């Protein structure tokens, strides 16, 4: 990338593509970016060859950002010209092909291959090609690496807590390289405890043919004036470490180098031992860890006696550099606090938040749905019926049988009253106009009000108020007349004393027979005597009868105050809503069955009353 020094693969402005949908790795990189104080996220885009173009949501510190996702690497590169790194999370089967794809894009300079077990023949081809094209490969079989305070590859360094503990959020003076990713995390910790911290750390990966060698990175560090000392971890097997011996001898490496080759224990085994990595196997005496450690020491590296005093040796070299003023320790920058994820904070009981609302009638969080305090299985075992369920969900208690039966009767008698009433009429029109079930149903429901079905609450309220105020039925009727208001629950368009409403008879006789007492119903009957003496259709109608009986019911089962509150809330019209929805759905299905076309009034059915033209 223009402006970037040769020896620097990554800096504070480096942006990468992540090849494959590795959301955890991306989030870890972005978390690092935030604590490192980066202005731009280190991930410019995700390349997801098996997905679609789009965006993926991530946190950048406390904020949420959208990271673009591309199906094609070429498209991603066209859109993000500054990106020069690709972190390749492709599997070992497709890592070589996708790396070649990246090689074909001139702007991409560094490719990190995470997969383990990429075919060795393919890796050798890629390594040759990389040299020709001046590309850098880190890996395969690696977690990657890190430039503290600037850029982190994938999952390197582990959790954000590890990153902070090993001071990887800000630069130090040590250049580190190893084969193993796991051991490099341990080494970062050792470096942070014994020096001013890491400047850069790379794990080249444990396969036999890594894209870059330990020496490649040490030579980069040698050139970088910000790196003052080198720390390296080699591994039993191969001869890579001898190239370092040579470089030391030829003074290509002049900065102090603390180095340990792991695997000295392999001599304890009688037969040749294959350690975790493909390359970690001593083929000859010279490939053993001991031989390499001896040669390195002879060439001038600081070699500890074992991994145990690695840190000690690092500390000695560091202190010497401080004494010589080659390293001038810098004050620790203020640490940026990483916001905690909300779910993690809740789990750790670190935060609390008032609920947006509370709900007390049912609970579906446990094994079984609970209505009130009754598990759904119990609802059926006790066979409490629709009335029982309604009584629990509306009144928060299971009312006695006579009451739940009454609720069911109210639903049954209000289910339908023919196609001419306003609710059914609207539902029928909406259905014939091609509307769906819910629209047609709602269209009918919306007519429920004082002139149709919605008088249950009004009746309950008016009659109980008058009764409680000690008004005689006559006083009540007179007062309403004086106010010019209709008594809710009185009057019907068709029904009259000569054409009584059987629904009212059924409801009122049940109440008389089963209720503990019916003072309000008795009062309403007296009112009805007065109103019907004026006009024969001013009967106690079905809404009125249900509402008034319900007051009698609630007042004998609940406290008076509680019963009055439900009436004030407007709960009782719900009974008509519930009942009538059965009928309205019936009308919808009926019209669908009849399959008639659009609704259209014949002109004969409509009276047109336009203003008469002036003569
Ligand atoms: N209380 C007192 N007087 C009434 C009442 C009443 N509820 N209803 C009608 N009247 C009187 C009117 O004041 C009017 O008197 P007037 O001739 O002296 O002026 C006369 O009766 C006719 O009034 P309309 O409004 O024409 O009555 P109509 O019979 O057309 O209306 C209706 C019937 C809408 C039900 C009406 O009685 C009413 O509004 N009742 C109260 C609300 C109610 O209970 N709605 C539920 C209806 S039933 C159901 O939906 C299942
Ligand atoms: C009904 O139950 O729908 C009817 O009693 C109402 C009406 O307006 O006739």
């Amino acid at each position: 990338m223009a402006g970037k020094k040769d020896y620097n693969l990554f800096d504070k402005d480096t942006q990468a593509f992540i090849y494959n949908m590795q959301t955890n790795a991306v989030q870890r990189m972005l978390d690092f970016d935030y604590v490192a104080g980066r202005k731009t996220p280190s991930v410019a885009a995700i390349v997801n060859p098996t997905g679609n173009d789009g965006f993926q949501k991530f946190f950048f510190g406390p904020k949420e950002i959208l990271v673009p996702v591309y199906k094609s690497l070429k498209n991603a590169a066209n859109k993000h010209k500054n990106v020069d790194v690709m972190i390749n999370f492709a599997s070992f089967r497709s890592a070589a092909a996708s790396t070649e794809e990246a090689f074909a894009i001139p702007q991409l300079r560094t490719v990190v291959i995470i997969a383990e077990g990429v075919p060795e023949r393919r890796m050798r081809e890629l390594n040759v090609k990389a040299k020709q094209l001046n590309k850098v490969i880190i890996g395969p079989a690696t977690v990657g690496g890190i430039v503290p305070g600037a850029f982190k590859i994938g999952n390197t360094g582990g959790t954000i807590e590890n990153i902070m503990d090993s001071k990887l959020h800000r630069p130090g003076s040590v250049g580190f390289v190893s084969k193993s990713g796991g051991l490099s995390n341990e080494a970062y910790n050792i470096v942070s405890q014994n020096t001013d911290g890491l400047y850069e750390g790379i794990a080249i990966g444990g396969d036999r043919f890594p894209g870059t060698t330990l020496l490649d990175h040490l030579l980069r560090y040698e050139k970088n004036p910000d790196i003052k000392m080198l720390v390296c971890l080699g591994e039993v097997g191969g001869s890579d470490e001898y190239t370092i011996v040579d470089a030391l001898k030829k003074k290509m490496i002049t900065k102090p180098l603390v180095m340990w080759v792991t695997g000295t224990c392999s001599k304890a085994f009688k037969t040749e031992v294959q350690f975790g990595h493909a390359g970690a196997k001593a083929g000859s005496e010279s490939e053993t860890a001991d031989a390499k450690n001896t040669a390195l020491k002879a060439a001038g590296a600081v070699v500890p006696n074992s991994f145990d005093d690695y840190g000690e040796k690092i500390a000695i070299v560091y202190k010497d550099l401080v004494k010589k003023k080659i390293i001038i320790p810098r004050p620790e920058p203020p640490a940026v606090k990483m916001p905690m994820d909300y779910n993690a904070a809740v789990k750790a009981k670190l935060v609390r938040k008032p609920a947006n609302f509370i709900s007390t009638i049912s609970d579906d969080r446990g094994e079984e749905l609970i209505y009130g305090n009754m598990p759904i299985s119990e609802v059926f075992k006790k066979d409490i019926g629709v009335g029982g369920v309604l009584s629990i969900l509306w009144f928060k208690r299971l009312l006695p049988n006579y009451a739940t039966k009454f609720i069911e009767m109210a639903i049954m008698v209000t289910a339908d009253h023919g196609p001419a009433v306003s609710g059914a009429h609207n539902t029928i029109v909406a259905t014939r106009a091609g509307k769906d079930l819910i629209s047609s149903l709602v269209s009918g429901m919306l007519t429920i009000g004082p002139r149709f079905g919605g008088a249950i609450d009004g009746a309950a309220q008016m009659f109980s108020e008058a009764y409680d105020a000690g008004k005689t039925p006559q006083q009540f009727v007179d007062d309403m007349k004086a106010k010019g208001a209709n008594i809710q629950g009185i009057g019907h368009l068709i029904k009259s004393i000569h054409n009584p409403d059987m629904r009212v008879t059924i409801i009122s006789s049940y109440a008389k027979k089963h209720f503990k007492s019916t003072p309000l119903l008795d009062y309403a009957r007296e009112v009805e005597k007065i109103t019907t003496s004026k006009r024969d259709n001013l009967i106690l109608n079905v809404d009125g009868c249900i509402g008034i009986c319900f007051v009698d019911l609630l007042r004998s089962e609940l406290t008076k105050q509680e019963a009055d509150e439900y009436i004030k809330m407007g709960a009782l019209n719900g009974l008509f809503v519930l009942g009538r929805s059965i009928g309205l759905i019936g009308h919808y299905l009926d019209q669908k069955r009849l399959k008639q076309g659009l609704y259209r009034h014949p002109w004969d059915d409509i009276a047109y009353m336009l203003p008469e033209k002036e003569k």
Side-chain angles (χ1 to χ4, degrees), residues 67 100-101 136 255 261 357 369 386 468 490 581:
V67 171
E100 253 159 9
E101 207 186 325
V136 177
K255 292 178 182 175
V261 179
F357 53 81
L369 168 64
V386 173
D468 292 344
I490 291 286
S581 62

Side-chain angles (χ1 to χ4, degrees), residues 416-417 421 451-453 492-494 501 503 542 576 580:
D416 197 30
H417 204 213
V421 302
R451 293 187 72 84
F452 164 65
H492 198 272
L493 282 165
I494 307 162
D501 190 335
R503 300 173 297 176
V542 70
F576 192 89
R580 193 47 55 98

Side-chain angles (χ1 to χ4, degrees), residues 349-487:
K349 298 192 168 60
L350 291 175
V351 288
R352 60 185 186 186
K353 169 180 166 295
N356 287 340
F357 53 81
I358 54 173
S359 170
T360 66
I361 60 166
S362 63
D363 190 343
D364 66 344
R365 290 167 302 173
E367 275 176 21
E368 208 180 309
L369 168 64
I370 295 173
Y371 289 160
N373 53 11
M374 190 180 281
I376 189 74
S377 54
E378 204 62 17
V379 166
F380 287 91
K381 233 183 264 162
K382 295 213 164 117
D383 199 15
I384 65 172
V386 173
V389 171
L390 184 150
S391 106
I392 293 177
L393 296 183
W394 288 19
F395 305 110
K396 296 193 66 176
R397 77 206 69 203
L398 180 57
L399 292 168
N401 270 347
Y402 84 86
T404 61
K405 175 102 205 298
F406 178 78
I407 291 168
E408 286 172 6
M409 286 171 71
I411 295 169
M412 287 157 82
V413 297
T414 54
D416 197 30
H417 204 213
V421 302
S422 43
H425 182 93
N426 264 20
T427 292
I428 291 168
V429 172
T431 310
R432 293 169 67 108
K435 301 295 285 188
D436 60 289
L437 179 132
I438 293 174
S439 310
S440 303
L441 171 64
V442 164
S443 156
M445 287 293 197
L446 287 175
T447 61
I448 295 174
R451 293 187 72 84
F452 164 65
I456 304 186
D457 280 301
Q461 212 164 335
M462 279 184 183
F463 278 84
S464 55
E465 258 173 36
Y467 177 79
D468 292 344
K471 288 184 188 170
T472 62
Q474 187 63 55
Q475 278 170 330
F476 175 42
V477 173
D478 293 346
D479 283 358
M480 294 305 288
K481 174 104 189 130
K483 277 189 210 158
N486 282 348
I487 301 169

Side-chain angles (χ1 to χ4, degrees), residues 537-559:
N537 74 324
L538 296 185
I539 53 160
L540 177 62
N541 61 36
V542 70
D543 294 27
C545 185
I546 291 172
I548 283 152
C549 290
F550 227 102
V551 176
D552 280 335
L553 188 156
L554 288 180
R555 284 186 173 182
S556 50
E557 296 300 332
L558 277 56
T559 63

Side-chain angles (χ1 to χ4, degrees), residues 326-339:
I326 294 173
I327 292 177
I328 310 207
R330 284 163 285 193
E332 202 60 51
V336 177
K337 199 142 174 49
M338 188 66 214

Side-chain angles (χ1 to χ4, degrees), residues 17-331:
F17 292 138
I18 305 298
Y19 193 93
N20 264 7
M21 190 53 85
Q22 286 282 331
T23 50
N24 286 346
V26 172
Q27 188 58 66
R28 284 187 167 180
M29 286 176 72
L30 298 180
D31 285 351
F32 167 83
D33 295 347
Y34 179 71
V35 295
R38 275 185 65 119
K39 296 279 172 297
T40 48
S42 58
V43 179
I46 297 169
V47 176
N48 188 22
T50 55
N52 291 316
D53 285 5
F55 291 91
Q56 188 79 22
K57 226 164 48 141
F58 291 98
F59 280 114
F60 188 59
K63 285 188 311 195
E64 277 191 296
I65 58 166
L66 290 175
V67 171
V69 180
Y70 300 95
K71 192 174 170 58
S72 130
L73 176 62
K74 222 171 173 179
N75 275 353
N78 279 338
K79 293 264 167 49
H80 305 270
K81 292 278 181 217
N82 64 315
V83 170
D84 64 351
V85 176
M86 181 171 107
I87 303 172
N88 192 348
F89 280 96
S91 75
F92 70 92
R93 281 178 297 274
S94 54
S98 44
T99 300
E100 253 159 9
E101 207 186 325
F103 279 2
I105 295 171
Q107 73 190 61
L108 295 177
R109 179 189 176 208
T110 308
V111 180
V112 183
I113 305 174
I114 307 291
E116 191 172 344
V118 179
E120 292 181 349
R121 184 183 53 78
R122 293 287 279 133
M123 262 331 288
R124 279 149 83 177
E125 285 166 14
L126 282 175
N127 290 345
V128 170
K129 215 167 176 190
K131 291 251 150 41
Q132 288 165 354
L133 296 168
N134 203 20
K135 308 272 185 186
V136 177
I137 298 177
I138 297 174
T142 182
V143 284
I146 188 163
V147 179
F151 185 86
K152 179 175 101 89
I153 299 170
N155 294 311
T156 302
T159 63
I160 200 70
E161 290 78 19
N162 277 345
I163 304 261
M164 299 303 284
D165 288 350
S166 298
K167 302 209 164 51
L168 299 174
H169 58 293
R170 51 84 178 143
S173 311
V174 178
F176 173 86
V177 62
S178 76
K179 285 193 174 168
S180 148
L183 270 183
S184 65
N185 274 354
E186 177 59 19
Y188 296 158
N189 190 27
I190 294 171
V191 166
S192 77
Q193 281 169 23
N194 294 290
T195 70
D196 66 346
L198 198 72
Y199 183 89
E200 179 170 347
I202 297 287
I204 62 164
D207 276 3
R208 280 224 303 161
F209 299 101
T212 41
T213 62
L214 296 174
L215 181 64
D216 289 335
H217 294 285
L218 289 175
L219 291 179
R220 272 199 311 112
Y221 298 162
E222 174 72 20
K223 279 196 248 169
N224 186 337
D226 292 321
I227 293 178
K228 310 292 186 189
M229 63 180 278
L230 312 176
V231 176
C232 182
L233 264 182
E235 202 172 73
V236 59
S239 57
D240 206 10
E241 290 79 357
Y242 291 105
T243 63
I244 301 173
V245 171
D246 272 356
L248 284 166
K249 283 184 186 160
K250 290 181 185 149
K251 302 274 179 255
M252 288 161 74
I253 295 175
T254 59
K255 292 178 182 175
L257 167 67
V258 183
M259 179 153 179
W260 175 246
V261 179
T262 62
T264 50
C265 66
S266 68
K267 60 180 178 284
F269 302 97
K270 286 213 171 63
T271 53
E272 193 183 272
V273 174
Q274 163 83 65
F275 286 79
H277 291 149
K281 177 170 89 171
S284 67
E285 178 55 30
S286 69
E287 290 188 24
T288 63
D290 279 341
K292 291 186 192 180
N293 279 325
T294 311
L296 282 161
K297 199 167 188 174
V302 178
V303 179
N305 296 320
S306 73
F307 191 68
D308 293 344
D309 61 344
Y310 194 46
E312 225 170 89
K313 289 287 187 293
I314 292 170
I316 292 169
V317 172
Y318 171 73
K319 280 180 194 146
D320 186 49
L321 291 171
V322 172
K323 209 158 125 202
K324 290 178 181 153
K325 300 216 167 2
I326 294 173
I327 292 177
I328 310 207
R330 284 163 285 193

